Amino acid sequence: MVLKASIFSLLWMSVINAQTEINFSYEMKYGDGKQVTGTASDNPDTLDYNYFENLLDINTFYGDNIYFYTQLEYSNHPVYGNRRSGLDSLVNTFYLEYSDDRINIKLGNQYELFGRGMSFYTLQNQNIDYDNSVKGLSFKYFMRENIEISALIGKGDYFYRSNPSRRETDLQLNSSVLLGSVNYAHDRLGFFQYVNSNQKLIINPALTGIFENKTEIFYDLDKRSTTAPELNNIYQSYKTETFLDTVGVQNQNFNWNFYAGPFDIYVDKAWIYYDKIFGDKVFGSRFYTSVYIDFLGTGITYEYKNYNTPYLIKTISNLPIVYREGSSVLASRNAHTFNFGNEIGHQVDFNKNLFGSMNLLGNLSLSHRHQKAGMADLSFTDFLVMEEDNRIYDYYPFRQIYLEMNGWTLSERLYYKIGFDHFTEFNVGDKNIFAITIPTQWVWKFSNGNSLTTYLEAQEKTVTGDIPGNYTDYYLSTSYSHRGRWIATGFYDQEISKGKTTRWPGFDFSYYLNSATQISLFYGSQKGGLICANGICAEQPGFEDGVKITFRSLF
């Protein structure tokens, strides 16, 4: 209550103070229909599905140096996540920030990025109900133009899911962190950053699922419990008794960004000493690098990752995914299952202007786990070719090939984008996935400022394993925009499998009341699928014969 009183007192003082500028961003989402789950089976489940989500972002600027951010939420239910319908859960996020030419101080939820997130990267994403921030204090001090020191201290509860299909989080742990960093920039040597962090995780087996979810942590605990009587006792009694373990994590992170001739090079390395859950301290590491060059007018980027902390639960870091997250509706339903504790990956991306406004771009991404005792010796070529072979399954390999041509033509009145996506992943949920997707986008600009946009996609997918099947999918959406005032969109999604055709038609109408306010009305059905951001996914359930309303406003 003291916190809430302080927040609203500050807001009230802001309103009456002439030096204060305050603005708001409000979003409301309402949905009422039928939720469909288990669409891959012969007997999908249909349940009532509704949500009423309200988010109010308040941005307050006091003079030139003080900024206060608050996010209020009333959701019963939200689209994803737990209910927030009481005063005690009204304040979702807040922080107070002071900054001038020499110093920056922030109190509250800490959303910060160091390097590429190998040691600390906290963020919030409402679309997938993800927030790994801690509450605390941070400061940055600019000693010189090219030297900066910073520190951060905080703690908080981290909520996550055992399965992305869950609407609400079902796992949690407590995390605290103390961090310090030094940044140094040099005209010739480049940019350096050193980060030293110490983290403590409070693990409750009943709340973290370590004895239920079949992860590498589970198999390690299961193996050790056969020779450790105390651990075996915890395994037998954790559902009826409370056991807590404090896991220490020491992370030394160094990153360097520099230019070598025509190359833009970034190197990021983390040395990590951490405690196994109910076990001894072990060593792990994370490594990421990227190299960019413009070669004969072609922009080429190569990325490499090597993450090896298989017995550590990732909380305050969000590592580079080394993977292309595209915008295709059908291709995005085959998102790769990342293992941030045990994965080696490569990515090559290129972009070339052929002539005029015609562009060609391509991407190759692949990854696999580290080799362990008893696993076959495989080469890079084996993961590149990706042939079905029992020797390769233990590596959980993945490969995606993407090509695209886009540009403007017909006096820049027609925009086109034509792609080719080939997705292959083995041993994901005891199944292998092969999918070829052809995504296209077409935009026609009328002379009076109106436009017509069409997304047309087709996909052939084969699944082998416990639940084999062949799927043919088509997706079509066509939108007409009338002078930026209103947009009418029709959707049609179709899947053919085992001789059965399933369709999901829908219609959306969006109207702009003014430049800062929009209301959208959807009626129909939508096929479920994964929604992913930075490698973290949540599964959007299927939606049948329902209504969705979205209202957004800035004021």
Side-chain angles (χ1 to χ4, degrees), residues 183-455:
N183 299 350
Y184 174 74
H186 189 276
D187 291 339
R188 294 183 179 179
L189 299 179
F191 177 86
F192 302 84
Q193 183 180 69
Y194 171 74
V195 184
N196 180 12
S197 66
N198 284 274
Q199 183 187 11
K200 290 189 181 300
L201 306 177
I202 307 300
I203 305 294
N204 183 336
L207 300 179
T208 52
I210 58 175
F211 289 127
E212 289 118 25
N213 303 315
K214 300 302 187 290
T215 65
E216 289 177 272
I217 294 176
F218 167 84
Y219 292 114
D220 176 69
L221 288 168
D222 185 61
K223 180 180 179 181
R224 286 191 284 126
S225 66
T226 60
T227 57
E230 291 185 3
L231 181 56
N232 185 63
N233 176 61
I234 295 172
Y235 177 71
Q236 299 295 331
S237 309
Y238 76 95
K239 291 184 179 180
T240 57
E241 299 180 40
T242 300
F243 298 93
L244 298 178
D245 185 38
T246 300
V247 173
V249 184
Q250 297 174 319
N251 189 319
Q252 308 284 331
N253 178 217
F254 175 78
N255 59 78
W256 182 21
N257 190 191
F258 63 100
Y259 293 89
F263 297 96
D264 181 357
I265 303 174
Y266 179 83
V267 179
D268 202 331
K269 174 73 174 182
W271 296 266
I272 304 171
Y273 288 91
Y274 66 99
D275 298 322
K276 284 186 176 183
I277 298 174
F278 297 112
D280 297 328
K281 187 180 294 293
V282 294
F283 174 75
S285 65
R286 296 167 178 163
F287 178 74
Y288 168 81
T289 186
S290 68
V291 180
Y292 172 82
I293 184 174
D294 189 312
F295 181 72
L296 300 178
T298 302
I300 303 173
T301 302
Y302 169 73
E303 292 180 279
Y304 171 76
K305 66 180 178 182
N306 189 333
Y307 305 145
N308 191 12
T309 54
Y311 313 115
L312 177 63
I313 300 176
K314 180 181 72 69
T315 54
I316 57 172
S317 58
N318 283 287
L319 316 180
I321 59 177
V322 190
Y323 167 75
R324 178 184 178 274
E325 288 188 322
S327 58
S328 165
V329 172
L330 295 184
S332 64
R333 292 173 183 168
N334 299 313
H336 167 52
T337 303
F338 289 92
N339 186 329
F340 290 106
N342 180 4
E343 194 160 81
I344 298 172
H346 306 262
Q347 179 173 229
V348 178
D349 187 275
F350 75 87
N351 193 333
K352 170 71 174 179
N353 178 259
L354 298 179
F355 51 84
S357 41
M358 178 181 288
N359 305 297
L360 177 67
L361 58 92
N363 182 279
L364 169 65
S365 304
L366 60 89
S367 67
H368 59 85
R369 296 190 182 181
H370 289 86
Q371 183 181 16
K372 291 186 176 181
M375 294 170 60
D377 290 322
L378 299 181
S379 67
F380 176 81
T381 304
D382 293 316
F383 299 111
L384 187 62
V385 175
M386 286 285 284
E387 292 184 350
E388 282 192 282
D389 187 328
N390 290 333
R391 300 181 309 153
I392 202 173
Y393 292 156
D394 289 339
Y395 287 90
Y396 295 80
F398 150 81
R399 186 199 64 193
Q400 185 177 36
I401 302 170
Y402 181 77
L403 291 172
E404 176 185 305
M405 184 173 292
N406 64 65
W408 288 90
T409 187
L410 300 180
S411 302
E412 296 196 351
R413 296 186 66 180
L414 175 65
Y415 173 79
Y416 59 91
K417 181 170 71 173
I418 304 172
F420 171 84
D421 187 289
H422 188 190
F423 178 96
T424 308
E425 186 164 22
F426 292 161
N427 206 11
V428 50
D430 296 323
K431 62 185 178 181
N432 300 335
I433 300 175
F434 309 84
I436 294 179
T437 308
I438 308 296
T440 70
Q441 179 187 3
W442 310 86
V443 181
W444 178 262
K445 293 170 59 177
F446 297 99
S447 57
N448 57 2
N450 301 331
S451 64
L452 187 68
T453 301
T454 297
Y455 292 88

Side-chain angles (χ1 to χ4, degrees), residues 19 60-68 96-105:
Q19 297 183 5
T60 306
F61 302 87
Y62 182 81
D64 297 327
N65 305 110
I66 298 176
Y67 170 65
F68 184 59
L96 177 65
E97 184 174 11
Y98 173 85
S99 61
D100 58 29
D101 294 338
R102 300 296 299 273
I103 195 169
N104 177 280
I105 302 174

Side-chain angles (χ1 to χ4, degrees), residues 81-148:
N82 301 321
R83 292 187 182 187
R84 304 179 69 95
S85 55
L87 286 177
D88 57 335
S89 61
L90 180 64
V91 180
N92 195 8
T93 301
F94 75 94
Y95 59 84
L96 177 65
E97 184 174 11
Y98 173 85
S99 61
D100 58 29
D101 294 338
R102 300 296 299 273
I103 195 169
N104 177 280
I105 302 174
K106 183 183 294 184
L107 175 66
N109 286 82
Q110 301 294 320
Y111 297 104
E112 299 290 341
L113 169 63
F114 292 84
R116 297 290 174 87
M118 306 281 274
S119 60
F120 193 93
Y121 181 19
T122 50
L123 57 92
Q124 181 193 55
N125 189 320
Q126 285 284 349
N127 291 328
I128 58 173
D129 184 39
Y130 179 77
D131 189 338
N132 69 327
S133 67
V134 294
K135 292 183 176 67
L137 175 69
S138 65
F139 83 89
K140 298 178 182 178
Y141 178 64
F142 304 93
M143 298 181 62
R144 297 180 182 177
E145 187 175 304
N146 63 336
I147 300 178
E148 172 190 328

